[in-house]
Amino acid sequence: MPIEPPTTAPPHTAGEPGTSAQGPAPTAPSPVQACTRWCCACTSTRACSSPRSCSSRHPEGTISAVRPSPQPDATTRVLLSGVKGIAADHTLAVFVAPYTGTVRGALEQYGSTGALPLRTWIDELHRDLHLGDTGRLYREFAASWLSVITGGGLVLWCGRRRARRKVRRTTGRRRSLTLHGTVGVWAAAGLFFLSATGLTWSTYAGANIGDLREALGQSTPSVTATVSSGHGGHDSMAGMDMKSMDMGSHSGARSDVGMDAVLKTARAEGLSDPVEIVPPTDSGSANVVRQIQRSWPERQDSIAVDPATGKVTDVLRFADYPLLAKLTRWGIDAHTGTLFGLVNQIALAGLALALVLLILWGYRMWWQRGRGSAFGRPIPRGAWRQVSVSVLVPRVAVVAVVGYHVPLLGIPLAGFLAVDIVLGWIGRRRTGHAHA
């Protein structure tokens, strides 16, 4: 279905009795009304004849969430999961005009930020280079080593004499080195940040970070969405259509206050737009209403509402999150450029440009170290032997612990050391045979 712009204007009729020429300022109907109209609009020109008729006539997927229109001229998003042709971790977002129930279009959506196809493609390029698990491992490998390389660069830069840091009137490798170091120092804090926040949701290091946070009691909490099982008529709410949820309070077949009441309860609890409403998945589940604003100041409060009584069963405020849970949330949103909007995105673009320049200057210096005819020779072997045991042993222990918890740092490092040891042994044997 081709999509139209996901906006809609409130309708009005000029000249009606008791109204001005402009008409009264209408209020958007509930998301339930929009959803039920959408169900019928997609399947039939007749009104839905039963609470389950929309679901039965539109079997492409299950309604997994509804995002009510946050502005008067915006559409409501109805999210469908399990749609054929849509990835399992994606949903089909159907845009519905809240005043008329008209379907304005449908697009594939990914993630809690509601990324549509273009942003989804870019996000997946960043996440795994569109290479699946192989790409995810490469990304984690890069994030694991980024902070190590940045830290090593800072140590080298700070160890140089100040007189050698001037850029003016320098040429060749020295100029490349100075430019590389200057830009690297300015970008270092941002590169450390990208490495740390990128690892928090990586495959292996991310799991270890999650275990550590859980052990410290700093996991991200979630609202309790269970209710007592004594509600008559709550046989199976999973996959129900939105009209059945709205009509439940008027039907003997199901005891349900309806999503209108759920949203009203959320407003009374202070949950302002934008919000997402997740319907119950079974007879023991509650409706969950959560705020989804990822820009500053973040709105992440959530509540659970008993679908039979309309009473709040649990409340979770973002202010009550553990410190590390808050830092993780802020860090990820800053990493993805949503926390501070355009300023955030410009800063990330600057960091990306700086990183590209640092890589190019690095290879240029390597080439210039070989006098422009070949890549430079490596630093002589055996430098670690000059470090005292009292300094070397603690550092090796720290590296081992970090490498264990960040596997794509530890495993390549161990492999590199093994190869280096073998090459050193081969070199010594050749030297011994030459002297013999």
Side-chain angles (χ1 to χ4, degrees):
M1 175 185 302
I3 186 164
E4 301 176 31
T7 58
T8 181
H12 62 269
T13 303
E16 291 184 356
T19 65
S20 64
Q22 291 288 330
T27 58
S30 70
V32 176
Q33 292 172 326
C35 296
T36 53
R37 289 175 183 172
W38 163 71
C39 287
C40 295
C42 287
T43 56
S44 174
T45 56
R46 296 181 293 107
C48 295
S49 58
S50 70
R52 295 183 181 271
S53 61
C54 292
S55 295
S56 62
R57 288 185 242 165
H58 195 66
E60 290 90 333
T62 300
I63 297 177
S64 58
V66 177
R67 295 188 174 188
S69 53
Q71 292 93 26
D73 61 346
T75 52
T76 290
R77 288 195 191 189
V78 182
L79 307 183
L80 297 178
S81 59
V83 178
K84 185 178 180 180
I86 302 295
D89 57 343
H90 293 194
T91 57
L92 180 67
V94 181
F95 298 89
V96 183
Y99 300 96
T100 63
T102 304
V103 176
R104 306 297 300 274
L107 288 172
E108 188 171 351
Q109 174 178 302
Y110 169 73
S112 57
T113 59
L116 296 177
L118 177 59
R119 278 183 55 206
T120 297
W121 189 91
I122 296 172
D123 180 83
E124 291 179 348
L125 176 67
H126 173 73
R127 182 176 61 174
D128 58 17
L129 299 176
H130 296 286
L131 297 176
D133 291 339
T134 302
R136 288 182 68 88
L137 291 177
Y138 175 77
R139 187 200 69 167
E140 184 171 348
F141 171 81
S144 300
W145 280 91
L146 179 58
S147 58
V148 175
I149 295 172
T150 302
L154 285 177
V155 170
L156 292 174
W157 175 253
C158 294
R160 299 177 65 218
R161 294 198 306 271
R162 189 174 187 84
R164 298 180 62 188
R165 299 180 189 170
K166 296 179 181 179
V167 179
R168 294 181 180 179
R169 294 186 298 276
T170 58
T171 58
R173 181 174 179 272
R174 184 175 176 183
R175 181 176 179 82
S176 299
L177 179 63
T178 304
L179 289 170
H180 178 93
T182 302
V183 173
V185 167
W186 281 102
L191 297 179
F192 280 128
F193 171 80
L194 290 180
S195 175
T197 54
L199 287 175
T200 56
W201 77 92
S202 60
T203 302
Y204 297 107
N208 290 331
I209 292 171
D211 292 341
L212 177 61
R213 287 174 52 201
E214 185 176 0
L216 296 174
Q218 296 288 311
S219 297
T220 300
S222 59
V223 68
T224 301
T226 57
V227 295
S228 60
S229 58
H231 303 316
H234 257 234
D235 49 72
S236 176
M237 301 183 70
M240 71 160 54
D241 63 89
M242 303 309 291
K243 184 171 183 178
S244 65
M245 298 182 71
D246 189 40
M247 295 176 63
S249 58
H250 305 292
S251 171
R254 191 186 304 277
S255 176
D256 187 356
V257 298
M259 196 174 288
D260 295 346
V262 171
L263 184 58
K264 184 177 180 180
T265 300
R267 300 302 189 208
E269 289 291 331
L271 272 66
S272 56
D273 284 325
V275 298
E276 180 178 85
I277 306 171
V278 180
T281 57
D282 53 45
S283 60
S285 300
N287 293 283
V288 174
V289 186
R290 56 194 179 203
Q291 292 177 303
I292 54 175
Q293 178 169 311
R294 296 295 174 82
S295 58
W296 190 267
E298 292 215 5
R299 297 173 184 170
Q300 298 290 314
D301 295 351
S302 56
I303 66 169
V305 180
D306 190 327
T309 64
K311 294 182 179 180
V312 176
T313 60
D314 192 26
V315 177
L316 178 61
R317 304 291 182 186
F318 184 68
D320 297 328
Y321 277 32
L323 177 59
L324 290 183
K326 289 181 180 178
L327 292 177
T328 300
R329 180 73 270 157
W330 291 330
I332 290 175
D333 292 338
H335 185 110
T336 57
T338 59
L339 187 60
F340 299 112
L342 181 60
V343 173
N344 197 160
Q345 294 156 22
I346 292 174
L348 290 174
L351 273 176
L353 177 61
L355 184 57
V356 170
L357 292 175
L358 289 172
I359 294 171
L360 294 176
W361 280 323
Y363 280 113
R364 178 178 171 80
M365 288 187 297
W366 188 18
W367 180 260
Q368 291 173 328
R369 191 165 181 260
R371 301 296 186 269
S373 59
F375 286 116
R377 293 172 297 174
I379 295 174
R381 299 172 52 82
W384 62 271
R385 297 173 185 168
Q386 302 175 14
V387 182
S388 64
V389 175
S390 60
V391 174
L392 183 62
V393 171
R395 292 185 178 182
V396 170
V398 170
V399 170
V401 171
V402 173
Y404 176 80
H405 289 92
V406 186
L408 291 187
L409 171 64
I411 294 174
L413 179 59
F416 168 80
L417 292 175
V419 171
D420 189 60
I421 290 171
V422 171
L423 292 178
W425 177 75
I426 293 174
R428 286 193 299 272
R429 287 199 62 181
R430 288 178 177 175
T431 302
H433 286 310
H435 288 300

PDB file of all heavy atoms in Angstrom, residues 6 17 60 72 76 103 106 120 132 141 155 261 277 301 321 326 351 362 364 372 381 394 426:
ATOM      1  N   PRO A   6       2.119  11.055   6.803  1.00  0.00           N
ATOM      2  CA  PRO A   6       1.436  10.615   8.023  1.00  0.00           C
ATOM      3  C   PRO A   6       0.933  11.773   8.864  1.00  0.00           C
ATOM      4  O   PRO A   6       1.292  11.939  10.011  1.00  0.00           O
ATOM      5  CB  PRO A   6       2.522   9.831   8.750  1.00  0.00           C
ATOM      6  CG  PRO A   6       3.790  10.461   8.308  1.00  0.00           C
ATOM      7  CD  PRO A   6       3.561  10.868   6.890  1.00  0.00           C
ATOM      8  N   PRO A  17     -25.456  24.170  12.214  1.00  0.00           N
ATOM      9  CA  PRO A  17     -26.127  24.884  13.294  1.00  0.00           C
ATOM     10  C   PRO A  17     -25.300  24.823  14.564  1.00  0.00           C
ATOM     11  O   PRO A  17     -24.802  23.771  14.967  1.00  0.00           O
ATOM     12  CB  PRO A  17     -27.444  24.104  13.458  1.00  0.00           C
ATOM     13  CG  PRO A  17     -27.649  23.422  12.138  1.00  0.00           C
ATOM     14  CD  PRO A  17     -26.309  23.120  11.624  1.00  0.00           C
ATOM     15  N   GLU A  60      -3.201 -10.672   8.689  1.00  0.00           N
ATOM     16  CA  GLU A  60      -1.778 -10.533   8.397  1.00  0.00           C
ATOM     17  C   GLU A  60      -0.917 -10.540   9.657  1.00  0.00           C
ATOM     18  O   GLU A  60       0.231 -10.939   9.630  1.00  0.00           O
ATOM     19  CB  GLU A  60      -1.504  -9.232   7.624  1.00  0.00           C
ATOM     20  CG  GLU A  60      -2.026  -9.234   6.203  1.00  0.00           C
ATOM     21  CD  GLU A  60      -3.442  -8.706   6.120  1.00  0.00           C
ATOM     22  OE1 GLU A  60      -4.176  -8.819   7.119  1.00  0.00           O
ATOM     23  OE2 GLU A  60      -3.806  -8.171   5.081  1.00  0.00           O
ATOM     24  N   PRO A  72      -2.140  17.222  17.133  1.00  0.00           N
ATOM     25  CA  PRO A  72      -3.470  17.227  16.486  1.00  0.00           C
ATOM     26  C   PRO A  72      -3.429  16.887  15.005  1.00  0.00           C
ATOM     27  O   PRO A  72      -4.404  16.382  14.471  1.00  0.00           O
ATOM     28  CB  PRO A  72      -3.961  18.669  16.707  1.00  0.00           C
ATOM     29  CG  PRO A  72      -3.208  19.147  17.915  1.00  0.00           C
ATOM     30  CD  PRO A  72      -1.867  18.503  17.836  1.00  0.00           C
ATOM     31  N   THR A  76      -2.203   8.252  14.075  1.00  0.00           N
ATOM     32  CA  THR A  76      -1.981   7.203  15.070  1.00  0.00           C
ATOM     33  C   THR A  76      -1.289   6.027  14.383  1.00  0.00           C
ATOM     34  O   THR A  76      -1.627   5.676  13.257  1.00  0.00           O
ATOM     35  CB  THR A  76      -3.328   6.739  15.663  1.00  0.00           C
ATOM     36  OG1 THR A  76      -3.863   7.787  16.471  1.00  0.00           O
ATOM     37  CG2 THR A  76      -3.161   5.489  16.504  1.00  0.00           C
ATOM     38  N   VAL A 103      -7.088   4.913   6.655  1.00  0.00           N
ATOM     39  CA  VAL A 103      -5.724   4.419   6.590  1.00  0.00           C
ATOM     40  C   VAL A 103      -4.928   5.290   5.625  1.00  0.00           C
ATOM     41  O   VAL A 103      -5.287   5.424   4.460  1.00  0.00           O
ATOM     42  CB  VAL A 103      -5.687   2.950   6.124  1.00  0.00           C
ATOM     43  CG1 VAL A 103      -4.251   2.469   5.973  1.00  0.00           C
ATOM     44  CG2 VAL A 103      -6.437   2.068   7.103  1.00  0.00           C
ATOM     45  N   ALA A 106       1.060   2.324   5.161  1.00  0.00           N
ATOM     46  CA  ALA A 106       1.711   1.370   6.053  1.00  0.00           C
ATOM     47  C   ALA A 106       3.166   1.212   5.647  1.00  0.00           C
ATOM     48  O   ALA A 106       3.483   1.159   4.461  1.00  0.00           O
ATOM     49  CB  ALA A 106       1.002   0.013   6.004  1.00  0.00           C
ATOM     50  N   THR A 120      15.875   2.606   9.147  1.00  0.00           N
ATOM     51  CA  THR A 120      16.143   1.212   9.491  1.00  0.00           C
ATOM     52  C   THR A 120      17.319   0.677   8.687  1.00  0.00           C
ATOM     53  O   THR A 120      18.199  -0.009   9.226  1.00  0.00           O
ATOM     54  CB  THR A 120      14.898   0.349   9.228  1.00  0.00           C
ATOM     55  OG1 THR A 120      13.828   0.794  10.079  1.00  0.00           O
ATOM     56  CG2 THR A 120      15.175  -1.110   9.515  1.00  0.00           C
ATOM     57  N   GLY A 132      24.585  -9.703   8.828  1.00  0.00           N
ATOM     58  CA  GLY A 132      24.088 -10.600   9.855  1.00  0.00           C
ATOM     59  C   GLY A 132      25.036 -10.719  11.035  1.00  0.00           C
ATOM     60  O   GLY A 132      25.670  -9.743  11.458  1.00  0.00           O
ATOM     61  N   PHE A 141      34.034  -6.112  17.558  1.00  0.00           N
ATOM     62  CA  PHE A 141      35.497  -6.108  17.511  1.00  0.00           C
ATOM     63  C   PHE A 141      36.020  -4.674  17.415  1.00  0.00           C
ATOM     64  O   PHE A 141      36.952  -4.279  18.139  1.00  0.00           O
ATOM     65  CB  PHE A 141      35.964  -6.942  16.312  1.00  0.00           C
ATOM     66  CG  PHE A 141      37.428  -6.846  16.014  1.00  0.00           C
ATOM     67  CD1 PHE A 141      38.343  -7.595  16.725  1.00  0.00           C
ATOM     68  CD2 PHE A 141      37.895  -6.012  15.002  1.00  0.00           C
ATOM     69  CE1 PHE A 141      39.702  -7.507  16.445  1.00  0.00           C
ATOM     70  CE2 PHE A 141      39.237  -5.922  14.712  1.00  0.00           C
ATOM     71  CZ  PHE A 141      40.153  -6.674  15.439  1.00  0.00           C
ATOM     72  N   VAL A 155      48.656   8.243  25.199  1.00  0.00           N
ATOM     73  CA  VAL A 155      49.920   8.017  25.917  1.00  0.00           C
ATOM     74  C   VAL A 155      51.103   8.451  25.055  1.00  0.00           C
ATOM     75  O   VAL A 155      52.023   9.137  25.532  1.00  0.00           O
ATOM     76  CB  VAL A 155      50.052   6.530  26.313  1.00  0.00           C
ATOM     77  CG1 VAL A 155      51.453   6.241  26.837  1.00  0.00           C
ATOM     78  CG2 VAL A 155      49.012   6.173  27.363  1.00  0.00           C
ATOM     79  N   ALA A 261     -10.309   4.076  28.374  1.00  0.00           N
ATOM     80  CA  ALA A 261     -10.156   4.243  29.812  1.00  0.00           C
ATOM     81  C   ALA A 261      -8.711   4.051  30.246  1.00  0.00           C
ATOM     82  O   ALA A 261      -8.229   4.714  31.164  1.00  0.00           O
ATOM     83  CB  ALA A 261     -11.066   3.254  30.548  1.00  0.00           C
ATOM     84  N   ILE A 277       0.881   2.141  23.830  1.00  0.00           N
ATOM     85  CA  ILE A 277      -0.016   1.276  24.599  1.00  0.00           C
ATOM     86  C   ILE A 277       0.155  -0.144  24.096  1.00  0.00           C
ATOM     87  O   ILE A 277      -0.035  -0.422  22.908  1.00  0.00           O
ATOM     88  CB  ILE A 277      -1.480   1.721  24.449  1.00  0.00           C
ATOM     89  CG1 ILE A 277      -1.636   3.205  24.812  1.00  0.00           C
ATOM     90  CG2 ILE A 277      -2.394   0.868  25.325  1.00  0.00           C
ATOM     91  CD1 ILE A 277      -2.990   3.776  24.490  1.00  0.00           C
ATOM     92  N   ASP A 301       8.471   7.009  31.882  1.00  0.00           N
ATOM     93  CA  ASP A 301       7.572   6.442  32.891  1.00  0.00           C
ATOM     94  C   ASP A 301       6.658   5.411  32.244  1.00  0.00           C
ATOM     95  O   ASP A 301       6.353   5.479  31.046  1.00  0.00           O
ATOM     96  CB  ASP A 301       6.721   7.539  33.538  1.00  0.00           C
ATOM     97  CG  ASP A 301       7.547   8.529  34.343  1.00  0.00           C
ATOM     98  OD1 ASP A 301       8.751   8.267  34.535  1.00  0.00           O
ATOM     99  OD2 ASP A 301       6.997   9.546  34.785  1.00  0.00           O
ATOM    100  N   TYR A 321      14.747   4.822  38.448  1.00  0.00           N
ATOM    101  CA  TYR A 321      15.710   3.884  37.861  1.00  0.00           C
ATOM    102  C   TYR A 321      17.021   3.933  38.645  1.00  0.00           C
ATOM    103  O   TYR A 321      17.437   4.996  39.118  1.00  0.00           O
ATOM    104  CB  TYR A 321      16.009   4.256  36.411  1.00  0.00           C
ATOM    105  CG  TYR A 321      15.023   3.768  35.386  1.00  0.00           C
ATOM    106  CD1 TYR A 321      13.674   3.617  35.679  1.00  0.00           C
ATOM    107  CD2 TYR A 321      15.430   3.478  34.095  1.00  0.00           C
ATOM    108  CE1 TYR A 321      12.766   3.187  34.727  1.00  0.00           C
ATOM    109  CE2 TYR A 321      14.533   3.052  33.125  1.00  0.00           C
ATOM    110  CZ  TYR A 321      13.207   2.908  33.451  1.00  0.00           C
ATOM    111  OH  TYR A 321      12.316   2.482  32.496  1.00  0.00           O
ATOM    112  N   LYS A 326      20.010   4.506  34.314  1.00  0.00           N
ATOM    113  CA  LYS A 326      19.816   5.825  33.698  1.00  0.00           C
ATOM    114  C   LYS A 326      20.976   6.153  32.767  1.00  0.00           C
ATOM    115  O   LYS A 326      20.775   6.628  31.645  1.00  0.00           O
ATOM    116  CB  LYS A 326      19.698   6.894  34.777  1.00  0.00           C
ATOM    117  CG  LYS A 326      18.415   6.864  35.584  1.00  0.00           C
ATOM    118  CD  LYS A 326      18.420   7.986  36.604  1.00  0.00           C
ATOM    119  CE  LYS A 326      17.156   8.001  37.432  1.00  0.00           C
ATOM    120  NZ  LYS A 326      17.171   9.056  38.470  1.00  0.00           N
ATOM    121  N   LEU A 351      32.616  13.558  14.984  1.00  0.00           N
ATOM    122  CA  LEU A 351      33.426  12.444  15.476  1.00  0.00           C
ATOM    123  C   LEU A 351      33.723  11.436  14.366  1.00  0.00           C
ATOM    124  O   LEU A 351      34.835  10.913  14.258  1.00  0.00           O
ATOM    125  CB  LEU A 351      32.713  11.738  16.626  1.00  0.00           C
ATOM    126  CG  LEU A 351      32.927  12.287  18.036  1.00  0.00           C
ATOM    127  CD1 LEU A 351      32.074  11.518  19.040  1.00  0.00           C
ATOM    128  CD2 LEU A 351      34.400  12.198  18.422  1.00  0.00           C
ATOM    129  N   GLY A 362      47.009   7.836   9.948  1.00  0.00           N
ATOM    130  CA  GLY A 362      47.756   6.724  10.502  1.00  0.00           C
ATOM    131  C   GLY A 362      48.441   5.905   9.422  1.00  0.00           C
ATOM    132  O   GLY A 362      49.639   5.587   9.522  1.00  0.00           O
ATOM    133  N   ARG A 364      49.101   6.928   6.445  1.00  0.00           N
ATOM    134  CA  ARG A 364      50.067   7.818   5.780  1.00  0.00           C
ATOM    135  C   ARG A 364      51.387   7.853   6.556  1.00  0.00           C
ATOM    136  O   ARG A 364      52.472   7.780   5.968  1.00  0.00           O
ATOM    137  CB  ARG A 364      49.473   9.219   5.654  1.00  0.00           C
ATOM    138  CG  ARG A 364      50.420  10.238   5.012  1.00  0.00           C
ATOM    139  CD  ARG A 364      49.730  11.590   4.870  1.00  0.00           C
ATOM    140  NE  ARG A 364      50.660  12.623   4.466  1.00  0.00           N
ATOM    141  CZ  ARG A 364      51.086  12.841   3.223  1.00  0.00           C
ATOM    142  NH1 ARG A 364      50.640  12.059   2.244  1.00  0.00           N
ATOM    143  NH2 ARG A 364      51.918  13.816   2.941  1.00  0.00           N
ATOM    144  N   GLY A 372      58.557   6.415   2.171  1.00  0.00           N
ATOM    145  CA  GLY A 372      57.749   6.548   0.973  1.00  0.00           C
ATOM    146  C   GLY A 372      57.918   5.446  -0.040  1.00  0.00           C
ATOM    147  O   GLY A 372      57.316   5.498  -1.110  1.00  0.00           O
ATOM    148  N   ARG A 381      61.581  -5.691  18.934  1.00  0.00           N
ATOM    149  CA  ARG A 381      60.960  -6.590  19.889  1.00  0.00           C
ATOM    150  C   ARG A 381      61.623  -6.476  21.259  1.00  0.00           C
ATOM    151  O   ARG A 381      62.733  -6.005  21.403  1.00  0.00           O
ATOM    152  CB  ARG A 381      61.079  -8.033  19.391  1.00  0.00           C
ATOM    153  CG  ARG A 381      60.394  -8.290  18.059  1.00  0.00           C
ATOM    154  CD  ARG A 381      60.732  -9.687  17.563  1.00  0.00           C
ATOM    155  NE  ARG A 381      60.452 -10.678  18.579  1.00  0.00           N
ATOM    156  CZ  ARG A 381      59.246 -11.200  18.815  1.00  0.00           C
ATOM    157  NH1 ARG A 381      58.235 -10.829  18.049  1.00  0.00           N
ATOM    158  NH2 ARG A 381      59.069 -12.093  19.759  1.00  0.00           N
ATOM    159  N   PRO A 394      50.707  -6.572  37.617  1.00  0.00           N
ATOM    160  CA  PRO A 394      49.349  -6.025  37.792  1.00  0.00           C
ATOM    161  C   PRO A 394      48.698  -5.621  36.473  1.00  0.00           C
ATOM    162  O   PRO A 394      47.494  -5.811  36.298  1.00  0.00           O
ATOM    163  CB  PRO A 394      49.571  -4.812  38.696  1.00  0.00           C
ATOM    164  CG  PRO A 394      50.866  -5.075  39.386  1.00  0.00           C
ATOM    165  CD  PRO A 394      51.702  -5.818  38.398  1.00  0.00           C
ATOM    166  N   ILE A 426      60.955 -18.213  15.823  1.00  0.00           N
ATOM    167  CA  ILE A 426      61.503 -18.527  14.501  1.00  0.00           C
ATOM    168  C   ILE A 426      62.681 -17.606  14.182  1.00  0.00           C
ATOM    169  O   ILE A 426      63.723 -18.040  13.662  1.00  0.00           O
ATOM    170  CB  ILE A 426      60.413 -18.399  13.422  1.00  0.00           C
ATOM    171  CG1 ILE A 426      59.350 -19.484  13.620  1.00  0.00           C
ATOM    172  CG2 ILE A 426      61.011 -18.488  12.025  1.00  0.00           C
ATOM    173  CD1 ILE A 426      58.162 -19.344  12.691  1.00  0.00           C
TER     174      ILE A 426
END
